[in-house]
Amino acid sequence: MNVQWDELTSFSVSPWEIVLRGTLVYLFLFVFFRFVLRRDTGNVGVGDFLLVVIVADASQNGMSGESNTVPDALLLVLTLMAWNYLIDVASYRSARIRKWLEPQPLPLVENGRMLRRNMRKELVTPDEIQAKLRENGIASLDQVARMTMESDGELSVLKKSQ
């Protein structure tokens, strides 16, 4: 077994190119997921979901030895983790940034009436509404004051007061 330590431990491309590529891909996918995959991420935040997927792919490239070295993969993973951290910090510190990064809660049912336009916007079916009611022990829409799709994609239900 002949290990080429120099090839394994040096960059195969410019470190700045790696940072730029990682930044562009991360930001593109973050914006895409923010506006398209709201309900599909469930309890996992979009940034966290994105980070796991991209970090797994970036790490795989460095481990497989296909034209990337270990430093290439490590720098790319570091770049992605830095963007994820910076976006989380910015969202925490600034209401304006948080408002842009995190979708506002969207009402799907108001006073026992389905809001079909909002349901269509998020591709939520009446069957899914009914299933969520059953999960919450609610027999009919008449008992619902409000059902909302939260920013994390979960559905929350508020019963009417008796």
PDB file of all heavy atoms in Angstrom, residues 29-59:
ATOM      1  N   LEU A  29     -29.448  26.841  -2.218  1.00  0.00           N
ATOM      2  CA  LEU A  29     -30.325  25.806  -1.679  1.00  0.00           C
ATOM      3  C   LEU A  29     -31.097  26.297  -0.453  1.00  0.00           C
ATOM      4  O   LEU A  29     -32.250  25.923  -0.261  1.00  0.00           O
ATOM      5  CB  LEU A  29     -29.526  24.545  -1.354  1.00  0.00           C
ATOM      6  CG  LEU A  29     -28.997  23.800  -2.580  1.00  0.00           C
ATOM      7  CD1 LEU A  29     -28.092  22.648  -2.165  1.00  0.00           C
ATOM      8  CD2 LEU A  29     -30.126  23.304  -3.451  1.00  0.00           C
ATOM      9  N   PHE A  30     -30.474  27.146   0.339  1.00  0.00           N
ATOM     10  CA  PHE A  30     -31.185  27.688   1.497  1.00  0.00           C
ATOM     11  C   PHE A  30     -32.404  28.483   1.048  1.00  0.00           C
ATOM     12  O   PHE A  30     -33.501  28.300   1.573  1.00  0.00           O
ATOM     13  CB  PHE A  30     -30.258  28.575   2.335  1.00  0.00           C
ATOM     14  CG  PHE A  30     -30.914  29.083   3.584  1.00  0.00           C
ATOM     15  CD1 PHE A  30     -30.881  28.330   4.743  1.00  0.00           C
ATOM     16  CD2 PHE A  30     -31.591  30.291   3.593  1.00  0.00           C
ATOM     17  CE1 PHE A  30     -31.503  28.779   5.895  1.00  0.00           C
ATOM     18  CE2 PHE A  30     -32.219  30.752   4.743  1.00  0.00           C
ATOM     19  CZ  PHE A  30     -32.172  29.994   5.894  1.00  0.00           C
ATOM     20  N   VAL A  31     -32.224  29.363   0.084  1.00  0.00           N
ATOM     21  CA  VAL A  31     -33.344  30.168  -0.421  1.00  0.00           C
ATOM     22  C   VAL A  31     -34.390  29.258  -1.069  1.00  0.00           C
ATOM     23  O   VAL A  31     -35.593  29.411  -0.843  1.00  0.00           O
ATOM     24  CB  VAL A  31     -32.849  31.245  -1.406  1.00  0.00           C
ATOM     25  CG1 VAL A  31     -33.997  31.907  -2.143  1.00  0.00           C
ATOM     26  CG2 VAL A  31     -32.025  32.289  -0.656  1.00  0.00           C
ATOM     27  N   PHE A  32     -33.934  28.282  -1.848  1.00  0.00           N
ATOM     28  CA  PHE A  32     -34.859  27.344  -2.499  1.00  0.00           C
ATOM     29  C   PHE A  32     -35.694  26.603  -1.459  1.00  0.00           C
ATOM     30  O   PHE A  32     -36.922  26.561  -1.549  1.00  0.00           O
ATOM     31  CB  PHE A  32     -34.076  26.361  -3.359  1.00  0.00           C
ATOM     32  CG  PHE A  32     -34.931  25.315  -4.012  1.00  0.00           C
ATOM     33  CD1 PHE A  32     -35.721  25.621  -5.101  1.00  0.00           C
ATOM     34  CD2 PHE A  32     -34.955  24.011  -3.524  1.00  0.00           C
ATOM     35  CE1 PHE A  32     -36.519  24.657  -5.706  1.00  0.00           C
ATOM     36  CE2 PHE A  32     -35.742  23.055  -4.118  1.00  0.00           C
ATOM     37  CZ  PHE A  32     -36.528  23.370  -5.212  1.00  0.00           C
ATOM     38  N   PHE A  33     -35.049  26.036  -0.439  1.00  0.00           N
ATOM     39  CA  PHE A  33     -35.774  25.296   0.584  1.00  0.00           C
ATOM     40  C   PHE A  33     -36.679  26.212   1.395  1.00  0.00           C
ATOM     41  O   PHE A  33     -37.761  25.813   1.816  1.00  0.00           O
ATOM     42  CB  PHE A  33     -34.816  24.562   1.527  1.00  0.00           C
ATOM     43  CG  PHE A  33     -34.180  23.351   0.912  1.00  0.00           C
ATOM     44  CD1 PHE A  33     -32.922  22.945   1.318  1.00  0.00           C
ATOM     45  CD2 PHE A  33     -34.824  22.623  -0.063  1.00  0.00           C
ATOM     46  CE1 PHE A  33     -32.328  21.812   0.767  1.00  0.00           C
ATOM     47  CE2 PHE A  33     -34.233  21.498  -0.620  1.00  0.00           C
ATOM     48  CZ  PHE A  33     -32.987  21.099  -0.193  1.00  0.00           C
ATOM     49  N   ARG A  34     -36.242  27.429   1.631  1.00  0.00           N
ATOM     50  CA  ARG A  34     -37.044  28.370   2.414  1.00  0.00           C
ATOM     51  C   ARG A  34     -38.391  28.645   1.742  1.00  0.00           C
ATOM     52  O   ARG A  34     -39.417  28.730   2.392  1.00  0.00           O
ATOM     53  CB  ARG A  34     -36.246  29.662   2.599  1.00  0.00           C
ATOM     54  CG  ARG A  34     -37.005  30.929   2.936  1.00  0.00           C
ATOM     55  CD  ARG A  34     -37.858  30.829   4.182  1.00  0.00           C
ATOM     56  NE  ARG A  34     -38.493  32.087   4.484  1.00  0.00           N
ATOM     57  CZ  ARG A  34     -39.677  32.467   4.027  1.00  0.00           C
ATOM     58  NH1 ARG A  34     -40.351  31.711   3.214  1.00  0.00           N
ATOM     59  NH2 ARG A  34     -40.192  33.615   4.381  1.00  0.00           N
ATOM     60  N   PHE A  35     -38.394  28.744   0.425  1.00  0.00           N
ATOM     61  CA  PHE A  35     -39.620  29.114  -0.272  1.00  0.00           C
ATOM     62  C   PHE A  35     -40.381  27.932  -0.862  1.00  0.00           C
ATOM     63  O   PHE A  35     -41.537  28.073  -1.215  1.00  0.00           O
ATOM     64  CB  PHE A  35     -39.316  30.132  -1.377  1.00  0.00           C
ATOM     65  CG  PHE A  35     -38.896  31.458  -0.822  1.00  0.00           C
ATOM     66  CD1 PHE A  35     -37.576  31.854  -0.880  1.00  0.00           C
ATOM     67  CD2 PHE A  35     -39.817  32.287  -0.213  1.00  0.00           C
ATOM     68  CE1 PHE A  35     -37.189  33.073  -0.354  1.00  0.00           C
ATOM     69  CE2 PHE A  35     -39.440  33.512   0.331  1.00  0.00           C
ATOM     70  CZ  PHE A  35     -38.108  33.904   0.250  1.00  0.00           C
ATOM     71  N   VAL A  36     -39.768  26.769  -0.972  1.00  0.00           N
ATOM     72  CA  VAL A  36     -40.428  25.646  -1.639  1.00  0.00           C
ATOM     73  C   VAL A  36     -40.779  24.516  -0.680  1.00  0.00           C
ATOM     74  O   VAL A  36     -41.866  23.962  -0.751  1.00  0.00           O
ATOM     75  CB  VAL A  36     -39.548  25.114  -2.793  1.00  0.00           C
ATOM     76  CG1 VAL A  36     -40.168  23.890  -3.425  1.00  0.00           C
ATOM     77  CG2 VAL A  36     -39.336  26.205  -3.835  1.00  0.00           C
ATOM     78  N   LEU A  37     -39.894  24.159   0.220  1.00  0.00           N
ATOM     79  CA  LEU A  37     -40.075  22.933   1.007  1.00  0.00           C
ATOM     80  C   LEU A  37     -40.539  23.169   2.438  1.00  0.00           C
ATOM     81  O   LEU A  37     -40.218  22.387   3.311  1.00  0.00           O
ATOM     82  CB  LEU A  37     -38.771  22.144   1.025  1.00  0.00           C
ATOM     83  CG  LEU A  37     -38.324  21.597  -0.319  1.00  0.00           C
ATOM     84  CD1 LEU A  37     -37.017  20.840  -0.157  1.00  0.00           C
ATOM     85  CD2 LEU A  37     -39.371  20.678  -0.901  1.00  0.00           C
ATOM     86  N   ARG A  38     -41.303  24.176   2.674  1.00  0.00           N
ATOM     87  CA  ARG A  38     -41.709  24.526   4.029  1.00  0.00           C
ATOM     88  C   ARG A  38     -42.290  23.355   4.806  1.00  0.00           C
ATOM     89  O   ARG A  38     -41.845  23.036   5.889  1.00  0.00           O
ATOM     90  CB  ARG A  38     -42.725  25.652   3.961  1.00  0.00           C
ATOM     91  CG  ARG A  38     -43.349  25.998   5.274  1.00  0.00           C
ATOM     92  CD  ARG A  38     -44.276  27.158   5.066  1.00  0.00           C
ATOM     93  NE  ARG A  38     -45.107  27.384   6.215  1.00  0.00           N
ATOM     94  CZ  ARG A  38     -45.692  28.520   6.455  1.00  0.00           C
ATOM     95  NH1 ARG A  38     -45.534  29.508   5.629  1.00  0.00           N
ATOM     96  NH2 ARG A  38     -46.458  28.664   7.508  1.00  0.00           N
ATOM     97  N   ARG A  39     -43.282  22.685   4.283  1.00  0.00           N
ATOM     98  CA  ARG A  39     -43.955  21.657   5.069  1.00  0.00           C
ATOM     99  C   ARG A  39     -43.243  20.316   5.032  1.00  0.00           C
ATOM    100  O   ARG A  39     -43.509  19.460   5.844  1.00  0.00           O
ATOM    101  CB  ARG A  39     -45.401  21.494   4.633  1.00  0.00           C
ATOM    102  CG  ARG A  39     -45.598  20.837   3.324  1.00  0.00           C
ATOM    103  CD  ARG A  39     -47.069  20.881   2.919  1.00  0.00           C
ATOM    104  NE  ARG A  39     -47.405  19.662   2.222  1.00  0.00           N
ATOM    105  CZ  ARG A  39     -48.223  18.762   2.675  1.00  0.00           C
ATOM    106  NH1 ARG A  39     -48.815  18.914   3.822  1.00  0.00           N
ATOM    107  NH2 ARG A  39     -48.486  17.681   1.982  1.00  0.00           N
ATOM    108  N   ASP A  40     -42.336  20.127   4.108  1.00  0.00           N
ATOM    109  CA  ASP A  40     -41.664  18.838   3.982  1.00  0.00           C
ATOM    110  C   ASP A  40     -40.523  18.651   4.968  1.00  0.00           C
ATOM    111  O   ASP A  40     -40.001  17.562   5.102  1.00  0.00           O
ATOM    112  CB  ASP A  40     -41.134  18.644   2.554  1.00  0.00           C
ATOM    113  CG  ASP A  40     -42.270  18.517   1.550  1.00  0.00           C
ATOM    114  OD1 ASP A  40     -43.381  18.113   1.962  1.00  0.00           O
ATOM    115  OD2 ASP A  40     -42.059  18.830   0.382  1.00  0.00           O
ATOM    116  N   THR A  41     -40.107  19.705   5.642  1.00  0.00           N
ATOM    117  CA  THR A  41     -39.002  19.563   6.572  1.00  0.00           C
ATOM    118  C   THR A  41     -39.448  19.190   7.977  1.00  0.00           C
ATOM    119  O   THR A  41     -38.626  18.841   8.800  1.00  0.00           O
ATOM    120  CB  THR A  41     -38.167  20.861   6.621  1.00  0.00           C
ATOM    121  OG1 THR A  41     -39.022  21.943   6.947  1.00  0.00           O
ATOM    122  CG2 THR A  41     -37.474  21.099   5.300  1.00  0.00           C
ATOM    123  N   GLY A  42     -40.741  19.272   8.264  1.00  0.00           N
ATOM    124  CA  GLY A  42     -41.267  18.854   9.567  1.00  0.00           C
ATOM    125  C   GLY A  42     -40.655  19.619  10.717  1.00  0.00           C
ATOM    126  O   GLY A  42     -40.580  20.828  10.685  1.00  0.00           O
ATOM    127  N   ASN A  43     -40.187  18.908  11.734  1.00  0.00           N
ATOM    128  CA  ASN A  43     -39.648  19.551  12.921  1.00  0.00           C
ATOM    129  C   ASN A  43     -38.220  20.025  12.769  1.00  0.00           C
ATOM    130  O   ASN A  43     -37.705  20.701  13.628  1.00  0.00           O
ATOM    131  CB  ASN A  43     -39.725  18.593  14.113  1.00  0.00           C
ATOM    132  CG  ASN A  43     -41.154  18.391  14.572  1.00  0.00           C
ATOM    133  OD1 ASN A  43     -41.977  19.282  14.480  1.00  0.00           O
ATOM    134  ND2 ASN A  43     -41.439  17.200  15.059  1.00  0.00           N
ATOM    135  N   VAL A  44     -37.556  19.630  11.711  1.00  0.00           N
ATOM    136  CA  VAL A  44     -36.178  20.036  11.490  1.00  0.00           C
ATOM    137  C   VAL A  44     -36.196  21.368  10.755  1.00  0.00           C
ATOM    138  O   VAL A  44     -36.910  21.535   9.782  1.00  0.00           O
ATOM    139  CB  VAL A  44     -35.428  18.979  10.649  1.00  0.00           C
ATOM    140  CG1 VAL A  44     -33.997  19.412  10.379  1.00  0.00           C
ATOM    141  CG2 VAL A  44     -35.454  17.642  11.356  1.00  0.00           C
ATOM    142  N   GLY A  45     -35.405  22.334  11.233  1.00  0.00           N
ATOM    143  CA  GLY A  45     -35.331  23.616  10.559  1.00  0.00           C
ATOM    144  C   GLY A  45     -34.734  23.456   9.169  1.00  0.00           C
ATOM    145  O   GLY A  45     -33.928  22.554   8.921  1.00  0.00           O
ATOM    146  N   VAL A  46     -35.108  24.342   8.266  1.00  0.00           N
ATOM    147  CA  VAL A  46     -34.625  24.263   6.889  1.00  0.00           C
ATOM    148  C   VAL A  46     -33.106  24.328   6.841  1.00  0.00           C
ATOM    149  O   VAL A  46     -32.467  23.551   6.138  1.00  0.00           O
ATOM    150  CB  VAL A  46     -35.243  25.397   6.036  1.00  0.00           C
ATOM    151  CG1 VAL A  46     -34.591  25.477   4.673  1.00  0.00           C
ATOM    152  CG2 VAL A  46     -36.727  25.189   5.886  1.00  0.00           C
ATOM    153  N   GLY A  47     -32.527  25.235   7.586  1.00  0.00           N
ATOM    154  CA  GLY A  47     -31.068  25.355   7.588  1.00  0.00           C
ATOM    155  C   GLY A  47     -30.387  24.093   8.084  1.00  0.00           C
ATOM    156  O   GLY A  47     -29.361  23.669   7.539  1.00  0.00           O
ATOM    157  N   ASP A  48     -30.955  23.481   9.127  1.00  0.00           N
ATOM    158  CA  ASP A  48     -30.381  22.248   9.662  1.00  0.00           C
ATOM    159  C   ASP A  48     -30.495  21.100   8.669  1.00  0.00           C
ATOM    160  O   ASP A  48     -29.556  20.331   8.467  1.00  0.00           O
ATOM    161  CB  ASP A  48     -31.075  21.866  10.972  1.00  0.00           C
ATOM    162  CG  ASP A  48     -30.884  22.933  12.037  1.00  0.00           C
ATOM    163  OD1 ASP A  48     -29.820  23.572  12.034  1.00  0.00           O
ATOM    164  OD2 ASP A  48     -31.800  23.119  12.846  1.00  0.00           O
ATOM    165  N   PHE A  49     -31.663  20.987   8.040  1.00  0.00           N
ATOM    166  CA  PHE A  49     -31.887  19.945   7.036  1.00  0.00           C
ATOM    167  C   PHE A  49     -30.907  20.109   5.879  1.00  0.00           C
ATOM    168  O   PHE A  49     -30.257  19.159   5.451  1.00  0.00           O
ATOM    169  CB  PHE A  49     -33.331  20.036   6.541  1.00  0.00           C
ATOM    170  CG  PHE A  49     -33.666  19.116   5.405  1.00  0.00           C
ATOM    171  CD1 PHE A  49     -33.815  17.758   5.615  1.00  0.00           C
ATOM    172  CD2 PHE A  49     -33.832  19.617   4.123  1.00  0.00           C
ATOM    173  CE1 PHE A  49     -34.126  16.914   4.566  1.00  0.00           C
ATOM    174  CE2 PHE A  49     -34.140  18.781   3.075  1.00  0.00           C
ATOM    175  CZ  PHE A  49     -34.288  17.427   3.293  1.00  0.00           C
ATOM    176  N   LEU A  50     -30.776  21.324   5.416  1.00  0.00           N
ATOM    177  CA  LEU A  50     -29.869  21.625   4.320  1.00  0.00           C
ATOM    178  C   LEU A  50     -28.430  21.301   4.702  1.00  0.00           C
ATOM    179  O   LEU A  50     -27.692  20.698   3.928  1.00  0.00           O
ATOM    180  CB  LEU A  50     -30.000  23.097   3.936  1.00  0.00           C
ATOM    181  CG  LEU A  50     -29.026  23.649   2.915  1.00  0.00           C
ATOM    182  CD1 LEU A  50     -29.231  22.962   1.571  1.00  0.00           C
ATOM    183  CD2 LEU A  50     -29.237  25.140   2.767  1.00  0.00           C
ATOM    184  N   LEU A  51     -28.033  21.693   5.879  1.00  0.00           N
ATOM    185  CA  LEU A  51     -26.667  21.453   6.326  1.00  0.00           C
ATOM    186  C   LEU A  51     -26.339  19.966   6.345  1.00  0.00           C
ATOM    187  O   LEU A  51     -25.276  19.552   5.869  1.00  0.00           O
ATOM    188  CB  LEU A  51     -26.449  22.064   7.705  1.00  0.00           C
ATOM    189  CG  LEU A  51     -25.020  21.933   8.237  1.00  0.00           C
ATOM    190  CD1 LEU A  51     -24.059  22.763   7.402  1.00  0.00           C
ATOM    191  CD2 LEU A  51     -24.977  22.360   9.683  1.00  0.00           C
ATOM    192  N   VAL A  52     -27.229  19.159   6.862  1.00  0.00           N
ATOM    193  CA  VAL A  52     -26.978  17.714   6.928  1.00  0.00           C
ATOM    194  C   VAL A  52     -26.790  17.128   5.531  1.00  0.00           C
ATOM    195  O   VAL A  52     -25.850  16.371   5.278  1.00  0.00           O
ATOM    196  CB  VAL A  52     -28.133  16.997   7.672  1.00  0.00           C
ATOM    197  CG1 VAL A  52     -28.031  15.490   7.511  1.00  0.00           C
ATOM    198  CG2 VAL A  52     -28.124  17.374   9.136  1.00  0.00           C
ATOM    199  N   VAL A  53     -27.652  17.504   4.602  1.00  0.00           N
ATOM    200  CA  VAL A  53     -27.573  16.964   3.243  1.00  0.00           C
ATOM    201  C   VAL A  53     -26.283  17.376   2.559  1.00  0.00           C
ATOM    202  O   VAL A  53     -25.563  16.553   1.985  1.00  0.00           O
ATOM    203  CB  VAL A  53     -28.806  17.416   2.412  1.00  0.00           C
ATOM    204  CG1 VAL A  53     -28.628  17.072   0.952  1.00  0.00           C
ATOM    205  CG2 VAL A  53     -30.066  16.786   2.956  1.00  0.00           C
ATOM    206  N   ILE A  54     -25.956  18.657   2.623  1.00  0.00           N
ATOM    207  CA  ILE A  54     -24.773  19.141   1.906  1.00  0.00           C
ATOM    208  C   ILE A  54     -23.489  18.681   2.576  1.00  0.00           C
ATOM    209  O   ILE A  54     -22.529  18.315   1.893  1.00  0.00           O
ATOM    210  CB  ILE A  54     -24.806  20.678   1.770  1.00  0.00           C
ATOM    211  CG1 ILE A  54     -25.974  21.093   0.882  1.00  0.00           C
ATOM    212  CG2 ILE A  54     -23.513  21.188   1.163  1.00  0.00           C
ATOM    213  CD1 ILE A  54     -26.125  22.575   0.727  1.00  0.00           C
ATOM    214  N   VAL A  55     -23.443  18.694   3.889  1.00  0.00           N
ATOM    215  CA  VAL A  55     -22.246  18.238   4.586  1.00  0.00           C
ATOM    216  C   VAL A  55     -21.982  16.769   4.271  1.00  0.00           C
ATOM    217  O   VAL A  55     -20.841  16.367   4.043  1.00  0.00           O
ATOM    218  CB  VAL A  55     -22.349  18.487   6.103  1.00  0.00           C
ATOM    219  CG1 VAL A  55     -21.278  17.733   6.868  1.00  0.00           C
ATOM    220  CG2 VAL A  55     -22.242  19.982   6.383  1.00  0.00           C
ATOM    221  N   ALA A  56     -23.037  15.974   4.222  1.00  0.00           N
ATOM    222  CA  ALA A  56     -22.858  14.557   3.878  1.00  0.00           C
ATOM    223  C   ALA A  56     -22.255  14.421   2.482  1.00  0.00           C
ATOM    224  O   ALA A  56     -21.318  13.642   2.273  1.00  0.00           O
ATOM    225  CB  ALA A  56     -24.198  13.834   3.952  1.00  0.00           C
ATOM    226  N   ASP A  57     -22.753  15.176   1.535  1.00  0.00           N
ATOM    227  CA  ASP A  57     -22.224  15.098   0.176  1.00  0.00           C
ATOM    228  C   ASP A  57     -20.793  15.622   0.103  1.00  0.00           C
ATOM    229  O   ASP A  57     -19.930  15.014  -0.530  1.00  0.00           O
ATOM    230  CB  ASP A  57     -23.119  15.878  -0.786  1.00  0.00           C
ATOM    231  CG  ASP A  57     -22.652  15.732  -2.220  1.00  0.00           C
ATOM    232  OD1 ASP A  57     -22.483  14.572  -2.665  1.00  0.00           O
ATOM    233  OD2 ASP A  57     -22.424  16.768  -2.876  1.00  0.00           O
ATOM    234  N   ALA A  58     -20.533  16.754   0.759  1.00  0.00           N
ATOM    235  CA  ALA A  58     -19.186  17.332   0.728  1.00  0.00           C
ATOM    236  C   ALA A  58     -18.178  16.388   1.380  1.00  0.00           C
ATOM    237  O   ALA A  58     -17.060  16.206   0.875  1.00  0.00           O
ATOM    238  CB  ALA A  58     -19.186  18.686   1.439  1.00  0.00           C
ATOM    239  N   SER A  59     -18.565  15.782   2.482  1.00  0.00           N
ATOM    240  CA  SER A  59     -17.668  14.845   3.157  1.00  0.00           C
ATOM    241  C   SER A  59     -17.396  13.621   2.307  1.00  0.00           C
ATOM    242  O   SER A  59     -16.271  13.121   2.248  1.00  0.00           O
ATOM    243  CB  SER A  59     -18.275  14.414   4.486  1.00  0.00           C
ATOM    244  OG  SER A  59     -18.489  15.530   5.303  1.00  0.00           O
TER     245      SER A  59
END
